[in-house]
Amino acid sequence: MTGTLIWALAVLVAIGLYLSWTAGRLDRLHARIDATRAALDAQLLRRASVAQELATSGVLDPAASIVLYEAAHAARQSEEEQREVAESDLSQALRAVFADAAQVDAVREAPGGEAATGELTEAVRRVPMARRFHNDAVGAARRLRAHRKVRWFRLAGHAPFPMAFEMDDEPPPALVERAA
Protein backbone atom coordinates (compact mmCIF):
# COMPACT_ATOMS: atom_id res chain seq x y z
CA MET A 1 0.00 0.00 0.00
CA THR A 2 2.78 2.41 0.91
CA GLY A 3 4.68 1.56 -2.27
CA THR A 4 1.63 2.31 -4.42
CA LEU A 5 1.12 5.62 -2.65
CA ILE A 6 4.75 6.58 -3.22
CA TRP A 7 4.50 5.68 -6.93
CA ALA A 8 1.26 7.65 -7.29
CA LEU A 9 2.84 10.62 -5.56
CA ALA A 10 5.94 10.35 -7.79
CA VAL A 11 3.73 10.29 -10.92
CA LEU A 12 1.79 13.34 -9.69
CA VAL A 13 5.03 15.21 -8.99
CA ALA A 14 6.36 14.30 -12.45
CA ILE A 15 3.14 15.50 -14.09
CA GLY A 16 3.27 18.71 -12.05
CA LEU A 17 6.88 19.33 -13.07
CA TYR A 18 6.05 18.69 -16.71
CA LEU A 19 3.10 21.10 -16.60
CA SER A 20 5.22 23.69 -14.82
CA TRP A 21 7.96 23.33 -17.47
CA THR A 22 5.36 23.71 -20.24
CA ALA A 23 3.88 26.81 -18.59
CA GLY A 24 7.37 28.29 -18.28
CA ARG A 25 8.06 27.55 -21.93
CA LEU A 26 4.82 29.23 -22.93
CA ASP A 27 5.70 32.23 -20.77
CA ARG A 28 9.11 32.49 -22.47
CA LEU A 29 7.42 32.33 -25.87
CA HIS A 30 5.09 35.17 -24.90
CA ALA A 31 8.08 37.20 -23.73
CA ARG A 32 9.79 36.47 -27.05
CA ILE A 33 6.67 37.66 -28.88
CA ASP A 34 6.76 40.91 -26.92
CA ALA A 35 10.44 41.40 -27.76
CA THR A 36 10.01 40.64 -31.44
CA ARG A 37 6.97 42.91 -31.65
CA ALA A 38 9.00 45.74 -30.11
CA ALA A 39 11.78 45.12 -32.65
CA LEU A 40 9.24 45.07 -35.48
CA ASP A 41 7.67 48.31 -34.25
CA ALA A 42 11.11 49.91 -34.11
CA GLN A 43 11.92 48.85 -37.67
CA LEU A 44 8.55 50.03 -38.97
CA LEU A 45 9.00 53.37 -37.22
CA ARG A 46 12.51 53.69 -38.62
CA ARG A 47 11.29 52.96 -42.16
CA ALA A 48 8.46 55.49 -41.87
CA SER A 49 10.78 58.11 -40.38
CA VAL A 50 13.38 57.70 -43.12
CA ALA A 51 10.68 57.81 -45.79
CA GLN A 52 9.18 60.94 -44.25
CA GLU A 53 12.59 62.57 -44.00
CA LEU A 54 13.34 61.73 -47.62
CA ALA A 55 9.95 63.09 -48.70
CA THR A 56 10.63 66.44 -47.01
CA SER A 57 14.25 66.72 -48.12
CA GLY A 58 13.44 68.17 -51.52
CA VAL A 59 15.32 65.56 -53.54
CA LEU A 60 12.12 63.97 -54.89
CA ASP A 61 9.70 65.56 -57.30
CA PRO A 62 6.68 67.21 -55.59
CA ALA A 63 4.15 64.50 -56.49
CA ALA A 64 6.39 61.70 -55.23
CA SER A 65 7.14 63.71 -52.08
CA ILE A 66 3.44 64.13 -51.30
CA VAL A 67 2.63 60.45 -51.89
CA LEU A 68 5.57 59.27 -49.80
CA TYR A 69 5.02 61.81 -47.01
CA GLU A 70 1.31 61.01 -46.65
CA ALA A 71 1.91 57.26 -46.59
CA ALA A 72 4.75 57.59 -44.07
CA HIS A 73 2.72 59.96 -41.89
CA ALA A 74 -0.28 57.61 -41.98
CA ALA A 75 1.96 54.67 -41.02
CA ARG A 76 3.42 56.56 -38.06
CA GLN A 77 0.06 57.85 -36.79
CA SER A 78 -2.08 54.76 -37.38
CA GLU A 79 -3.99 53.04 -34.61
CA GLU A 80 -3.09 49.44 -33.80
CA GLU A 81 -6.14 48.07 -35.65
CA GLN A 82 -5.15 49.87 -38.87
CA ARG A 83 -1.39 49.46 -38.58
CA GLU A 84 -1.00 46.56 -41.01
CA VAL A 85 -2.96 48.39 -43.72
CA ALA A 86 -1.05 51.64 -43.20
CA GLU A 87 2.32 49.87 -43.34
CA SER A 88 1.26 48.02 -46.49
CA ASP A 89 0.26 51.36 -48.02
CA LEU A 90 3.72 52.73 -47.20
CA SER A 91 5.33 49.73 -48.90
CA GLN A 92 3.20 50.36 -51.98
CA ALA A 93 4.08 54.06 -51.96
CA LEU A 94 7.79 53.24 -51.72
CA ARG A 95 7.47 50.86 -54.67
CA ALA A 96 5.56 53.50 -56.66
CA VAL A 97 8.09 56.25 -55.94
CA PHE A 98 11.14 54.07 -56.52
CA ALA A 99 9.69 51.96 -59.36
CA ASP A 100 12.26 53.29 -61.80
CA ALA A 101 16.00 52.94 -61.35
CA ALA A 102 16.39 56.44 -62.82
CA GLN A 103 14.50 57.85 -59.82
CA VAL A 104 16.87 56.09 -57.43
CA ASP A 105 19.85 57.46 -59.35
CA ALA A 106 18.38 60.98 -59.30
CA VAL A 107 17.93 60.80 -55.53
CA ARG A 108 21.48 59.50 -55.07
CA GLU A 109 22.96 62.33 -57.13
CA ALA A 110 21.26 65.00 -55.00
CA PRO A 111 23.21 66.41 -52.04
CA GLY A 112 22.78 63.99 -49.14
CA GLY A 113 20.91 61.60 -51.40
CA GLU A 114 23.46 58.81 -51.15
CA ALA A 115 23.14 58.65 -47.37
CA ALA A 116 19.34 58.94 -47.47
CA THR A 117 19.07 56.19 -50.08
CA GLY A 118 21.38 53.93 -48.09
CA GLU A 119 19.43 54.47 -44.90
CA LEU A 120 16.11 53.82 -46.66
CA THR A 121 17.50 50.67 -48.27
CA GLU A 122 18.60 49.33 -44.89
CA ALA A 123 15.24 50.19 -43.37
CA VAL A 124 13.23 48.42 -46.07
CA ARG A 125 15.50 45.36 -45.83
CA ARG A 126 15.12 45.02 -42.08
CA VAL A 127 11.32 45.21 -41.94
CA PRO A 128 10.71 41.79 -43.59
CA MET A 129 13.27 40.16 -41.31
CA ALA A 130 11.73 41.66 -38.18
CA ARG A 131 8.25 40.66 -39.34
CA ARG A 132 9.42 37.11 -40.06
CA PHE A 133 10.99 36.78 -36.58
CA HIS A 134 7.79 38.05 -34.99
CA ASN A 135 5.54 35.76 -37.00
CA ASP A 136 7.80 32.78 -36.25
CA ALA A 137 7.50 33.46 -32.52
CA VAL A 138 3.73 33.82 -32.86
CA GLY A 139 3.55 30.52 -34.76
CA ALA A 140 5.53 28.70 -32.08
CA ALA A 141 3.30 30.05 -29.31
CA ARG A 142 0.14 29.19 -31.25
CA ARG A 143 1.34 25.63 -31.82
CA LEU A 144 2.06 25.17 -28.12
CA ARG A 145 -1.25 26.75 -27.12
CA ALA A 146 -3.07 24.32 -29.43
CA HIS A 147 -2.00 21.33 -27.31
CA ARG A 148 -4.74 19.85 -25.16
CA LYS A 149 -2.66 19.93 -22.00
CA VAL A 150 -2.25 23.70 -22.36
CA ARG A 151 -5.96 24.25 -22.90
CA TRP A 152 -7.17 21.80 -20.26
CA PHE A 153 -4.90 23.10 -17.52
CA ARG A 154 -5.13 26.72 -18.76
CA LEU A 155 -1.37 27.08 -18.81
CA ALA A 156 -1.54 30.24 -20.94
CA GLY A 157 -3.18 32.09 -18.07
CA HIS A 158 -4.68 35.39 -19.14
CA ALA A 159 -2.19 36.07 -21.92
CA PRO A 160 -3.93 37.23 -25.09
CA PHE A 161 -3.89 34.92 -28.08
CA PRO A 162 -0.84 35.90 -30.18
CA MET A 163 -1.59 37.50 -33.53
CA ALA A 164 0.72 37.53 -36.53
CA PHE A 165 1.55 40.81 -38.26
CA GLU A 166 0.52 40.49 -41.89
CA MET A 167 1.51 43.24 -44.27
CA ASP A 168 2.94 43.88 -47.71
CA ASP A 169 6.64 44.32 -46.99
CA GLU A 170 8.12 43.80 -50.43
CA PRO A 171 10.90 46.37 -50.96
CA PRO A 172 11.15 48.47 -54.12
CA PRO A 173 13.22 46.36 -56.56
CA ALA A 174 15.04 49.34 -58.07
CA LEU A 175 16.12 50.56 -54.63
CA VAL A 176 17.41 47.16 -53.52
CA GLU A 177 19.12 46.43 -56.87
CA ARG A 178 21.00 49.74 -56.85
CA ALA A 179 22.24 49.10 -53.31
CA ALA A 180 23.62 45.67 -54.17
Side-chain angles (χ1 to χ4, degrees), residues 80-174:
E80 190 62 34
E81 298 84 33
Q82 298 299 318
R83 183 92 186 263
E84 294 172 351
V85 173
E87 294 295 345
S88 294
D89 290 345
L90 178 56
S91 294
Q92 292 168 359
L94 284 166
R95 281 197 306 273
V97 169
F98 295 106
D100 188 18
Q103 176 75 355
V104 176
D105 292 338
V107 170
R108 284 199 162 161
E109 291 170 3
E114 186 72 35
T117 305
E119 194 172 349
L120 182 61
T121 302
E122 284 303 311
V124 299
R125 281 184 176 171
R126 289 180 179 175
V127 167
M129 286 189 294
R131 189 177 73 88
R132 201 169 307 120
F133 287 144
H134 174 70
N135 288 348
D136 287 347
V138 167
R142 282 181 168 185
R143 284 188 297 276
L144 184 58
R145 287 180 72 144
H147 291 184
R148 277 182 273 172
K149 66 180 175 261
V150 173
R151 290 192 320 265
W152 287 352
F153 292 102
R154 300 174 194 220
L155 299 180
H158 297 289
F161 191 75
M163 300 301 291
F165 195 86
E166 297 300 332
M167 65 172 271
D168 173 11
D169 61 2
E170 184 180 334

Side-chain angles (χ1 to χ4, degrees), residues 2 17 32 38 41 49 75 86 97 132 138 150 175:
T2 308
L17 287 173
R32 187 172 135 210
D41 287 341
S49 298
V97 169
R132 201 169 307 120
V138 167
V150 173
L175 187 65

Side-chain angles (χ1 to χ4, degrees), residues 25-46:
R25 181 172 168 227
L26 191 58
D27 186 49
R28 288 187 301 277
L29 282 171
H30 282 113
R32 187 172 135 210
I33 288 171
D34 291 342
T36 58
R37 181 57 190 243
L40 175 61
D41 287 341
Q43 293 305 320
L44 292 171
L45 180 64
R46 180 175 182 238

